[in-house]
mmCIF file of all heavy atoms in Angstrom:
data_model
loop_
_atom_site.group_PDB
_atom_site.id
_atom_site.type_symbol
_atom_site.label_atom_id
_atom_site.label_comp_id
_atom_site.label_asym_id
_atom_site.label_seq_id
_atom_site.Cartn_x
_atom_site.Cartn_y
_atom_site.Cartn_z
ATOM 1 N N LEU A 115 5.126 3.869 -5.488
ATOM 2 C CA LEU A 115 4.892 4.096 -6.921
ATOM 3 C C LEU A 115 6.100 3.649 -7.745
ATOM 4 O O LEU A 115 5.949 3.023 -8.806
ATOM 5 C CB LEU A 115 4.599 5.571 -7.195
ATOM 6 C CG LEU A 115 3.213 6.055 -6.820
ATOM 7 C CD1 LEU A 115 3.150 7.577 -6.804
ATOM 8 C CD2 LEU A 115 2.173 5.492 -7.783
ATOM 9 N N GLU A 116 7.293 3.972 -7.272
ATOM 10 C CA GLU A 116 8.509 3.563 -7.981
ATOM 11 C C GLU A 116 8.647 2.049 -8.008
ATOM 12 O O GLU A 116 9.065 1.474 -9.010
ATOM 13 C CB GLU A 116 9.734 4.204 -7.328
ATOM 14 C CG GLU A 116 9.798 5.707 -7.538
ATOM 15 C CD GLU A 116 10.871 6.388 -6.701
ATOM 16 O OE1 GLU A 116 11.544 5.710 -5.883
ATOM 17 O OE2 GLU A 116 11.034 7.611 -6.856
ATOM 18 N N LEU A 117 8.288 1.393 -6.908
ATOM 19 C CA LEU A 117 8.369 -0.068 -6.843
ATOM 20 C C LEU A 117 7.374 -0.709 -7.809
ATOM 21 O O LEU A 117 7.721 -1.645 -8.533
ATOM 22 C CB LEU A 117 8.091 -0.542 -5.409
ATOM 23 C CG LEU A 117 8.102 -2.051 -5.175
ATOM 24 C CD1 LEU A 117 9.503 -2.607 -5.380
ATOM 25 C CD2 LEU A 117 7.599 -2.371 -3.777
ATOM 26 N N ILE A 118 6.151 -0.207 -7.817
ATOM 27 C CA ILE A 118 5.112 -0.772 -8.691
ATOM 28 C C ILE A 118 5.456 -0.554 -10.159
ATOM 29 O O ILE A 118 5.216 -1.399 -11.004
ATOM 30 C CB ILE A 118 3.730 -0.176 -8.341
ATOM 31 C CG1 ILE A 118 3.306 -0.646 -6.951
ATOM 32 C CG2 ILE A 118 2.685 -0.562 -9.381
ATOM 33 C CD1 ILE A 118 2.101 0.071 -6.399
ATOM 34 N N GLY A 119 6.035 0.587 -10.457
ATOM 35 C CA GLY A 119 6.449 0.883 -11.826
ATOM 36 C C GLY A 119 5.431 1.712 -12.567
ATOM 37 O O GLY A 119 4.288 1.871 -12.126
ATOM 38 N N PRO A 120 5.862 2.258 -13.704
ATOM 39 C CA PRO A 120 4.973 3.119 -14.487
ATOM 40 C C PRO A 120 3.858 2.311 -15.136
ATOM 41 O O PRO A 120 3.997 1.103 -15.342
ATOM 42 C CB PRO A 120 5.900 3.727 -15.538
ATOM 43 C CG PRO A 120 6.977 2.704 -15.710
ATOM 44 C CD PRO A 120 7.158 2.070 -14.343
ATOM 45 N N GLY A 121 2.800 2.995 -15.451
ATOM 46 C CA GLY A 121 1.690 2.350 -16.144
ATOM 47 C C GLY A 121 1.997 2.192 -17.617
ATOM 48 O O GLY A 121 2.889 2.847 -18.159
ATOM 49 N N ASP A 122 1.292 1.315 -18.258
ATOM 50 C CA ASP A 122 1.446 1.121 -19.689
ATOM 51 C C ASP A 122 0.446 2.003 -20.414
ATOM 52 O O ASP A 122 -0.707 1.620 -20.611
ATOM 53 C CB ASP A 122 1.228 -0.352 -20.073
ATOM 54 C CG ASP A 122 2.310 -1.258 -19.509
ATOM 55 O OD1 ASP A 122 3.454 -0.775 -19.374
ATOM 56 O OD2 ASP A 122 2.027 -2.424 -19.209
ATOM 57 N N GLU A 123 0.875 3.212 -20.738
ATOM 58 C CA GLU A 123 0.017 4.136 -21.470
ATOM 59 C C GLU A 123 0.043 3.761 -22.936
ATOM 60 O O GLU A 123 1.087 3.397 -23.480
ATOM 61 C CB GLU A 123 0.519 5.578 -21.292
ATOM 62 C CG GLU A 123 0.486 6.061 -19.859
ATOM 63 C CD GLU A 123 -0.922 6.144 -19.309
ATOM 64 O OE1 GLU A 123 -1.837 6.542 -20.048
ATOM 65 O OE2 GLU A 123 -1.112 5.805 -18.125
ATOM 66 N N PRO A 124 -1.108 3.860 -23.625
ATOM 67 C CA PRO A 124 -1.111 3.569 -25.059
ATOM 68 C C PRO A 124 -0.193 4.530 -25.796
ATOM 69 O O PRO A 124 -0.131 5.720 -25.481
ATOM 70 C CB PRO A 124 -2.565 3.789 -25.486
ATOM 71 C CG PRO A 124 -3.353 3.931 -24.236
ATOM 72 C CD PRO A 124 -2.407 4.225 -23.123
ATOM 73 N N ALA A 125 0.552 4.011 -26.746
ATOM 74 C CA ALA A 125 1.429 4.848 -27.563
ATOM 75 C C ALA A 125 0.577 5.773 -28.420
ATOM 76 O O ALA A 125 -0.608 5.499 -28.664
ATOM 77 C CB ALA A 125 2.322 3.973 -28.440
ATOM 78 N N GLU A 126 1.177 6.866 -28.860
ATOM 79 C CA GLU A 126 0.437 7.819 -29.695
ATOM 80 C C GLU A 126 -0.081 7.103 -30.942
ATOM 81 O O GLU A 126 0.639 6.382 -31.614
ATOM 82 C CB GLU A 126 1.359 8.971 -30.097
ATOM 83 C CG GLU A 126 0.609 10.108 -30.759
ATOM 84 C CD GLU A 126 1.494 11.302 -31.026
ATOM 85 O OE1 GLU A 126 2.330 11.620 -30.167
ATOM 86 O OE2 GLU A 126 1.338 11.895 -32.094
ATOM 87 N N GLY A 127 -1.357 7.293 -31.189
ATOM 88 C CA GLY A 127 -1.990 6.656 -32.344
ATOM 89 C C GLY A 127 -2.497 5.252 -32.068
ATOM 90 O O GLY A 127 -3.201 4.673 -32.887
ATOM 91 N N GLU A 128 -2.137 4.676 -30.905
ATOM 92 C CA GLU A 128 -2.585 3.322 -30.562
ATOM 93 C C GLU A 128 -3.999 3.382 -30.007
ATOM 94 O O GLU A 128 -4.386 4.315 -29.310
ATOM 95 C CB GLU A 128 -1.648 2.709 -29.523
ATOM 96 C CG GLU A 128 -1.990 1.266 -29.183
ATOM 97 C CD GLU A 128 -1.068 0.696 -28.118
ATOM 98 O OE1 GLU A 128 -0.089 1.348 -27.758
ATOM 99 O OE2 GLU A 128 -1.364 -0.407 -27.643
ATOM 100 N N ASP A 129 -4.775 2.365 -30.316
ATOM 101 C CA ASP A 129 -6.151 2.278 -29.845
ATOM 102 C C ASP A 129 -6.158 2.075 -28.329
ATOM 103 O O ASP A 129 -5.586 1.109 -27.819
ATOM 104 C CB ASP A 129 -6.847 1.103 -30.544
ATOM 105 C CG ASP A 129 -8.289 0.910 -30.110
ATOM 106 O OD1 ASP A 129 -8.820 1.768 -29.387
ATOM 107 O OD2 ASP A 129 -8.877 -0.110 -30.512
ATOM 108 N N PRO A 130 -6.792 3.006 -27.570
ATOM 109 C CA PRO A 130 -6.816 2.861 -26.104
ATOM 110 C C PRO A 130 -7.517 1.589 -25.644
ATOM 111 O O PRO A 130 -7.202 1.051 -24.592
ATOM 112 C CB PRO A 130 -7.573 4.095 -25.610
ATOM 113 C CG PRO A 130 -7.747 4.988 -26.774
ATOM 114 C CD PRO A 130 -7.439 4.216 -28.010
ATOM 115 N N LEU A 131 -8.469 1.095 -26.435
ATOM 116 C CA LEU A 131 -9.148 -0.155 -26.055
ATOM 117 C C LEU A 131 -8.210 -1.343 -26.142
ATOM 118 O O LEU A 131 -8.343 -2.298 -25.376
ATOM 119 C CB LEU A 131 -10.373 -0.383 -26.928
ATOM 120 C CG LEU A 131 -11.571 0.518 -26.642
ATOM 121 C CD1 LEU A 131 -12.697 0.237 -27.623
ATOM 122 C CD2 LEU A 131 -12.046 0.346 -25.225
ATOM 123 N N ALA A 132 -7.259 -1.270 -27.058
ATOM 124 C CA ALA A 132 -6.299 -2.365 -27.181
ATOM 125 C C ALA A 132 -5.479 -2.502 -25.900
ATOM 126 O O ALA A 132 -5.149 -3.616 -25.476
ATOM 127 C CB ALA A 132 -5.382 -2.142 -28.375
ATOM 128 N N ALA A 133 -5.179 -1.367 -25.274
ATOM 129 C CA ALA A 133 -4.414 -1.401 -24.028
ATOM 130 C C ALA A 133 -5.206 -2.090 -22.923
ATOM 131 O O ALA A 133 -4.626 -2.735 -22.049
ATOM 132 C CB ALA A 133 -4.031 0.009 -23.597
ATOM 133 N N LEU A 134 -6.536 -1.969 -22.949
ATOM 134 C CA LEU A 134 -7.361 -2.627 -21.938
ATOM 135 C C LEU A 134 -7.251 -4.145 -22.010
ATOM 136 O O LEU A 134 -7.418 -4.834 -21.012
ATOM 137 C CB LEU A 134 -8.832 -2.223 -22.096
ATOM 138 C CG LEU A 134 -9.193 -0.807 -21.724
ATOM 139 C CD1 LEU A 134 -10.661 -0.534 -22.053
ATOM 140 C CD2 LEU A 134 -8.940 -0.567 -20.243
ATOM 141 N N PHE A 135 -6.997 -4.655 -23.201
ATOM 142 C CA PHE A 135 -6.951 -6.098 -23.387
ATOM 143 C C PHE A 135 -5.526 -6.627 -23.505
ATOM 144 O O PHE A 135 -5.319 -7.785 -23.854
ATOM 145 C CB PHE A 135 -7.775 -6.493 -24.616
ATOM 146 C CG PHE A 135 -9.226 -6.145 -24.450
ATOM 147 C CD1 PHE A 135 -9.767 -5.042 -25.088
ATOM 148 C CD2 PHE A 135 -10.037 -6.899 -23.630
ATOM 149 C CE1 PHE A 135 -11.104 -4.706 -24.919
ATOM 150 C CE2 PHE A 135 -11.365 -6.568 -23.453
ATOM 151 C CZ PHE A 135 -11.902 -5.472 -24.091
ATOM 152 N N ALA A 136 -4.559 -5.778 -23.185
ATOM 153 C CA ALA A 136 -3.164 -6.219 -23.226
ATOM 154 C C ALA A 136 -2.932 -7.260 -22.136
ATOM 155 O O ALA A 136 -3.461 -7.154 -21.037
ATOM 156 C CB ALA A 136 -2.227 -5.034 -23.038
ATOM 157 N N GLU A 137 -2.159 -8.250 -22.479
ATOM 158 C CA GLU A 137 -1.855 -9.295 -21.509
ATOM 159 C C GLU A 137 -0.683 -8.870 -20.642
ATOM 160 O O GLU A 137 0.243 -8.204 -21.104
ATOM 161 C CB GLU A 137 -1.531 -10.600 -22.232
ATOM 162 C CG GLU A 137 -2.727 -11.170 -22.957
ATOM 163 C CD GLU A 137 -2.427 -12.473 -23.655
ATOM 164 O OE1 GLU A 137 -1.319 -13.023 -23.469
ATOM 165 O OE2 GLU A 137 -3.295 -12.946 -24.380
ATOM 166 N N GLY A 138 -0.742 -9.253 -19.390
ATOM 167 C CA GLY A 138 0.312 -8.938 -18.447
ATOM 168 C C GLY A 138 1.319 -10.064 -18.354
ATOM 169 O O GLY A 138 1.285 -11.019 -19.127
ATOM 170 N N PRO A 139 2.196 -9.977 -17.368
ATOM 171 C CA PRO A 139 3.209 -11.023 -17.176
ATOM 172 C C PRO A 139 2.570 -12.320 -16.700
ATOM 173 O O PRO A 139 1.505 -12.316 -16.105
ATOM 174 C CB PRO A 139 4.119 -10.432 -16.101
ATOM 175 C CG PRO A 139 3.256 -9.465 -15.368
ATOM 176 C CD PRO A 139 2.276 -8.931 -16.365
#
Side-chain angles (χ1 to χ4, degrees):
L115 284 166
E116 291 170 356
L117 178 66
I118 293 169
D122 294 329
E123 298 295 321
E126 190 174 320
E128 184 182 352
D129 179 8
L131 287 177
L134 289 175
F135 297 103
E137 293 181 7

